[in-house]
């Protein structure tokens, strides 16, 4: 075969392979689409929940997107009869370990900013249907910095949704991690919002051994507080 | 005379009207035009159409290639420019090329959406044929095609401000001839909260588009971004303004009625919804007239949730008559249960027992779980029965919790708790409840043990499916102690989950293969049929996709089905 024809054939095959549409080839989305959720023991979720105040774990699952993202959901007991699961969601974003990894970085599994006002309103309606919800005017604070939260409830039941994006790589995160996103959804009966948030305030991340506190952190009391109208 | 490539920003709606009314002026005034970077040509030199005369270049091109839809649109456009103009008698006859250059290859590239290639080819031709000028119509179409693409790309990426900017830079795309671009721009205004600008564009469409279907579809589009009263204004305009000969605009008023009924029916399911009596009566009349089973179900649940069991029974009965199905049967069972007519409830459930989880679950509201109230309980519906009949799943949990605290917890109650948790979207806890039911089953009376064991195992697998564990369910199904009907139900659920996964991974042939396998087991829900259509669309099987979308839209027209029909039709029109 003459040399130009070989080159053309090789180029054509390369183009087809790159496009993923040639005969016998399939589109490779393996690193860009999340895996299905797999069930894992609750102890494999990279978090230490401490002792007091944390509801019992009912189940846990995890999934990945390529080598960069790993997501966990720890489902917790819900003592109310409200819809929706109590849970701690953790998304861990690693730093790519190659130029290729950086160039082919998949979409984040969570949006940034974590919530817009509209999306938060939709989320609160979905998470706490039929309950009035308010966004807390003052941020909460846990080991890893400030977080925002909303409170919903009625006469006897109270729910919180807290969300946090940890991106501080100067102090909190090691250089292997790019970000950690946390979401805490908890409903309880005859408890304050503060009591519902207390386990979130106290949790310790173990996604890497050298994650540090943000500093000036004081753990809140572990025991549930009596019902009160406000936090 | 010189002017920039893009005209100065003009308010979009006014410009759209201007462009519709005087496009020939816009074309004739254009002087220098960019072809490729650094290349400009004069379009008012010899070879270009004479000002004041109709430019039939595009018309003849469409006639030559036999593109009837575009030919019709071009005739309508030229007639709008000059009402006295008629298509030439020799439209389909071969034409000599006055300039000696056949423009067909450029038009072909333009038609295929290869705009940059078309511009490059024109530039190349000019080098080869000095003095040759492309027709003004070709250059205008290139400009418009580029603007249309900018609007479409920005719109598909949800970059609404960019959509508005792109349309404002080339307002000639905001006409009925490019209705999709006009809709996308109006949507962008709506998303940006510029309701009046959105209204102005929709008004342009419903007052200038000659076809009733275009005006009707505009109304459906507008309903997503305008308040109901503004949609009513549009409907009034669309039904009366600038009527075209032979068009019946009753469809526009019909669309408004359909939208209003749809809005009422959609609101019925909301917590605490109490529509105005007139709206409810209108919706009921429309449902009766159309024999709309889905509408009847919505009305049935509306009354059932308010414990108006007799009215609920009427609507569920109609739904079952018009389109017999498990959802109608479920409603009938629960409405009869609410009226304490147990025998009729069980009779209504009979055709679906063992094959429908919905109906089996509804039957549990009639056949009180063992242990609820105990053997000395009085006849009639228990509080738990009533909670289940009213679909009060939170109440169900509270009542079962009370039984548990009173040490009257049984396998049947644990199982019922699992189903109530499933309804509350708490599948992980539901799985634990079914595991508890399985553990308690050996202590149940011997006659009930097998049924309880099967039910708990089936519930646990359903809960796992809801947790996205289709792989685990498929693995465990062969060793389970389930009935054939239960296995089939779970297999269908697992196939649906796997099909969705294949769709997300863009393995569309797999998605169709799995959906076909699932359809052999049970009827396909609307959501999966929509997914089937999009998979066909992604595989380039546009006509099949359109057939799927249209069939779905005829059964129940929703925003999703209308959008799907519109997208598939556009793709077929563009020859994609």
């Amino acid at each position: 075969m003459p040399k130009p024809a070989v080159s053309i054939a090789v180029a054509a095959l390369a183009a087809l392979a790159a496009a993923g549409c040639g005969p016998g080839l399939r589109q490779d989305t393996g690193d860009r689409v999340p895996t299905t959720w797999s069930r894992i023991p609750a102890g494999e979720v990279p978090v230490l929940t401490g002792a007091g105040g944390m509801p019992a774990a009912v189940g846990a699952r995890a999934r990945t997107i390529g080598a960069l993202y790993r997501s966990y959901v720890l489902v917790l007991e819900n003592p109310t009869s409200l819809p929706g699961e109590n849970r701690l969601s953790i998304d861990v974003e690693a730093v790519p370990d190659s130029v290729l990894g950086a160039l082919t970085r998949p979409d984040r599994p969570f949006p940034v900013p974590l919530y817009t006002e509209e999306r938060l309103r939709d989320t609160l309606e979905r998470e706490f249907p039929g309950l009035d919800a308010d966004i807390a005017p003052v941020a909460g604070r846990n080991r890893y910095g400030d977080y925002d939260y909303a409170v919903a409830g009625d006469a006897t039941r109270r729910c919180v949704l807290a969300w946090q994006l940890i991106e501080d790589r100067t102090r909190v995160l090691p250089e292997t991690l790019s970000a950690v996103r946390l979401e805490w959804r908890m409903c309880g009966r005859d408890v304050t919002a503060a009591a519902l948030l207390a386990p979130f305030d106290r949790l310790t991340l173990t996604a890497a051994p050298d994650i540090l506190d943000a500093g000036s952190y004081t753990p809140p009391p572990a025991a549930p507080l009596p019902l009160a109208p406000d936090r | 005379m010189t002017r920039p490539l893009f005209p100065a920003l003009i308010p979009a709606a006014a410009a759209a009207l201007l462009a519709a009314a005087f496009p020939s002026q816009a074309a004739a005034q254009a002087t220098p035009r960019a072809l490729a970077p650094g290349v400009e040509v004069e379009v008012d030199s010899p070879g270009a159409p004479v000002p004041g005369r109709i430019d039939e270049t595009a018309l003849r091109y469409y006639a030559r290639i036999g593109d009837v839809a575009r030919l019709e649109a071009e005739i309508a456009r030229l007639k709008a420019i000059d009402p006295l103009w008629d298509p030439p008698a020799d439209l389909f006859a071969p034409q000599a090329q006055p300039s000696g250059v056949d423009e067909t290859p450029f038009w072909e590239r333009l038609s295929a959406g290869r705009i940059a290639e078309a511009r490059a080819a024109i530039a190349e031709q000019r080098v080869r044929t000095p003095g040759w000028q492309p027709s003004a119509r070709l250059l205008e179409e290139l400009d418009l095609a580029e603007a249309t693409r900018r609007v479409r790309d920005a719109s598909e990426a949800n970059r609404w401000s960019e959509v508005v900017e792109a349309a404002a830079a080339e307002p000639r795309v905001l006409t009925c001839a490019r209705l999709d671009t006009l809709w996308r721009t109006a949507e962008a205004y709506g998303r940006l909260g510029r309701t009046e600008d959105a209204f102005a564009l929709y008004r342009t469409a419903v007052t200038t588009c000659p076809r009733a279907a275009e005006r009707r579809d505009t109304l459906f589009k507008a309903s997503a971004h305008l308040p109901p009263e503004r949609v009513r204004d549009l409907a009034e305009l669309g039904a009366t303004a600038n009527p075209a000969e032979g068009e019946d605009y009753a469809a526009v008023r019909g669309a408004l009625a359909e939208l209003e009924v749809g809005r009422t029916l959609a609101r019925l399911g909301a917590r605490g919804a109490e529509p105005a009596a007139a709206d409810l009566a209108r919706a009921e009349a429309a449902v009766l007239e159309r024999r709309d089973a889905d509408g009847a179900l919505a009305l049935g649940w509306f009354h059932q949730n308010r414990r108006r069991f007799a009215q609920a029974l009427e609507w569920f009965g109609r739904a079952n008559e018009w389109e017999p199905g498990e959802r109608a049967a479920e409603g009938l069972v629960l409405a009869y249960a609410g009226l304490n007519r147990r025998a009729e409830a069980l009779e209504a459930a009979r055709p679906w027992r063992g094959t429908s989880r919905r109906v089996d679950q509804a039957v549990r509201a009639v056949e009180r779980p063992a242990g609820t109230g105990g053997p000395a309980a009085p006849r009639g519906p228990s509080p738990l029965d009533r909670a289940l009949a009213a679909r009060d799943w939170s109440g169900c949990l509270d009542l079962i919790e009370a039984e548990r605290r009173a040490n009257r917890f049984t396998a049947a109650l644990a199982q019922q708790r699992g189903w109530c948790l499933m309804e509350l979207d708490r599948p992980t806890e539901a799985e634990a409840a079914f595991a508890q039911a399985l553990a308690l089953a050996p202590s149940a009376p011997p006659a009930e043990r097998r049924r309880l064991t099967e039910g708990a195992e089936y519930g646990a697998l359903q809960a796992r499916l809801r947790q996205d564990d289709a792989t685990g369910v498929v693995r465990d199904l062969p060793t389970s102690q389930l009935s054939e009907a239960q296995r089939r139900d779970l297999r269908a659920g697992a196939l649906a989950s796997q099909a969705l996964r294949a769709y997300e991974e863009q393995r569309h042939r797999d998605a169709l293969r799995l959906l076909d396998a699932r359809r052999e087991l049970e009827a396909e829900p609307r959501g999966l049929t929509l997914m089937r259509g999009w998979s066909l669309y992604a595989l380039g099987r546009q006509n099949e996709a359109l057939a799927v979308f249209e069939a779905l839209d005829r059964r129940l027209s929703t925003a999703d089905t209308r959008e799907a029909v519109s997208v598939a039709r556009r793709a077929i029109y563009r020859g994609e």
Side-chain angles (χ1 to χ4, degrees), chain B residues 541-561:
Chain B
R541 292 157 66 178
Q542 318 295 19
N543 287 316
E544 291 169 77
L546 179 62
V548 167
F549 293 144
E550 282 182 337
L552 209 52
D553 192 60
R554 276 195 295 273
R555 273 163 49 201
L556 177 68
S557 184
T558 66
D560 287 341
T561 57

Side-chain angles (χ1 to χ4, degrees), chain B residues 103-277:
Chain B
E103 288 191 345
T104 304
F106 314 126
W107 283 101
E108 279 173 354
R109 287 182 173 94
L110 175 62
S111 289
R114 300 185 337 244
I115 303 162
E117 263 186 49
R119 285 201 188 279
I122 290 170
E124 206 176 300
Q125 185 67 50
R126 287 199 69 242
V127 172
R128 279 204 302 270
T129 318
W132 171 75
Q133 300 293 343
S135 66
R137 183 78 182 105
L138 176 59
L139 294 177
E140 183 189 354
E141 278 298 317
L142 282 167
D143 287 348
L144 295 178
E146 275 177 347
T148 300
R149 176 171 291 180
R150 273 195 295 275
V151 169
R152 190 187 70 197
D153 290 350
S155 161
E156 286 180 355
N158 297 344
R159 299 193 301 264
W160 307 117
S161 298
E162 263 184 67
V163 174
V164 168
E165 281 166 20
E170 183 51 283
R172 288 178 299 169
V173 296
L174 300 177
T175 64
C176 195
R178 286 178 162 74
L179 192 53
D180 177 58
T181 309
L182 183 149
W183 284 341
R184 286 176 187 273
T185 310
E187 180 187 2
Y189 279 130
R191 302 266 185 185
L192 292 168
R194 294 170 60 177
T195 311
E196 282 311 306
D197 290 322
F199 178 79
L201 277 187
Y202 289 128
R203 186 180 54 203
T204 301
V206 298
T207 55
T208 61
C209 290
R211 292 183 183 157
E214 292 167 336
R215 297 187 182 194
R216 180 201 62 200
D217 291 349
T218 300
L219 220 56
F220 285 133
K221 293 273 182 191
S223 68
H225 306 291
L226 295 181
E229 59 277 10
R230 301 299 267 156
V231 178
R232 278 185 213 116
D233 293 343
L234 283 179
E236 189 54 37
L237 285 167
T240 54
N242 303 320
E245 201 176 326
E247 281 291 320
D248 179 6
Y249 295 110
V252 180
R253 290 194 201 280
L256 180 68
E258 196 179 320
L259 280 170
E260 297 200 333
V261 166
R263 203 176 294 121
T264 303
L265 290 174
R267 276 204 308 261
L268 291 181
R271 182 182 289 258
E274 208 51 71

Side-chain angles (χ1 to χ4, degrees), chain B residues 7-51:
Chain B
L9 297 184
I10 304 167
L17 286 169
L18 191 68
F22 308 110
S24 60
Q25 290 182 7
Q29 284 168 6
T31 314
R33 286 172 177 273
L35 286 175
V39 181
E40 285 192 346
V41 294
E42 300 294 319
V43 293
D44 53 356
S45 56
V50 178

Side-chain angles (χ1 to χ4, degrees), chain A:
Chain A
M1 187 182 286
K3 207 170 179 182
V6 174
S7 307
I8 291 166
V10 169
L13 280 173
L16 282 172
C21 58
L25 299 179
R26 68 177 172 82
Q27 184 148 354
D28 180 12
T29 55
D31 283 347
R32 308 193 65 81
V33 176
T35 61
T36 51
W37 288 102
S38 57
R39 299 143 73 82
I40 58 171
E44 287 185 14
V45 178
V47 67
L48 297 177
T49 50
M54 178 60 102
V58 185
R61 48 188 182 267
R63 72 175 186 185
T64 59
I65 306 177
L68 285 194
Y69 295 102
R70 191 160 179 84
S71 301
Y72 304 86
V73 175
L74 180 64
V75 181
L76 300 160
E77 204 168 54
N78 183 347
T80 72
S81 54
L82 293 168
E85 294 190 327
N86 283 348
R87 64 175 189 279
L88 170 66
S89 306
I90 304 175
D91 294 288
V92 181
E93 179 180 352
V95 173
D97 58 3
S98 68
V99 175
L100 184 65
L103 289 174
T104 58
R105 178 191 290 263
D107 294 336
R108 273 180 157 167
F110 50 87
V112 176
L114 295 179
Y115 282 107
T116 60
E117 192 177 351
E118 296 76 21
R119 200 164 55 232
L120 179 61
R121 195 170 51 233
D122 292 346
T123 303
L124 292 173
E125 275 175 19
R126 192 178 61 246
E127 290 285 349
F128 311 125
L131 297 182
D132 291 330
D134 287 312
I135 303 168
V138 179
R141 186 166 175 78
N142 64 10
R143 287 179 193 281
Y144 306 108
D146 293 344
Y147 63 81
D148 291 289
Y149 67 98
V151 181
D154 57 19
T156 58
R157 300 171 299 187
R158 186 137 299 153
C159 299
V160 294
L161 179 77
W163 59 96
Q164 184 173 25
L165 184 63
I166 306 167
E167 292 183 296
D168 177 3
R169 297 177 68 199
T170 56
R171 175 182 166 91
V172 178
L173 297 180
E175 64 182 35
T176 52
L177 296 185
S178 179
V180 177
R181 173 255 201 180
L182 300 174
E183 188 162 283
W184 174 256
R185 189 266 193 206
M186 186 59 54
C187 290
R189 195 188 287 272
D190 298 335
V191 289
T192 60
L196 292 172
L197 286 167
F200 187 63
D201 290 344
R202 298 168 65 86
L203 61 80
T204 304
L205 289 170
T206 57
D210 49 357
I211 298 178
L212 299 181
D213 293 354
S216 63
Y217 167 74
T218 312
L225 304 176
L227 180 66
D230 297 309
R231 194 180 184 215

Side-chain angles (χ1 to χ4, degrees), chain A residues 27 29 33-37 39 58-59 61 75-85 129-130 157 189, chain B residues 271 393-395 397-398 405 417 424-429 431-432 464 467-469 471 501 504-507:
Chain A
Q27 184 148 354
T29 55
V33 176
T35 61
T36 51
W37 288 102
R39 299 143 73 82
V58 185
R61 48 188 182 267
V75 181
L76 300 160
E77 204 168 54
N78 183 347
T80 72
S81 54
L82 293 168
E85 294 190 327
R157 300 171 299 187
R189 195 188 287 272
Chain B
R271 182 182 289 258
W393 314 117
S394 295
L397 287 194
D398 290 338
R405 286 189 184 159
R417 182 166 180 273
L424 289 166
D425 202 18
R426 291 163 61 172
T428 317
E429 290 163 276
E431 188 187 349
R464 285 172 61 182
Q467 294 170 64
D468 202 14
D469 186 24
T471 311
R501 174 88 193 145
E504 284 171 350
E505 291 178 359
Q506 299 175 39
R507 291 184 285 115

Side-chain angles (χ1 to χ4, degrees), chain B residues 346-367:
Chain B
L346 293 174
E347 182 56 27
R350 198 169 48 80
W352 299 95
R353 291 289 290 271
T355 60
S356 162
R357 188 178 65 79
R358 284 172 175 279
V359 175
D360 286 348
Q361 191 174 337
V363 165
R364 281 190 282 273
V366 183
E367 293 174 335

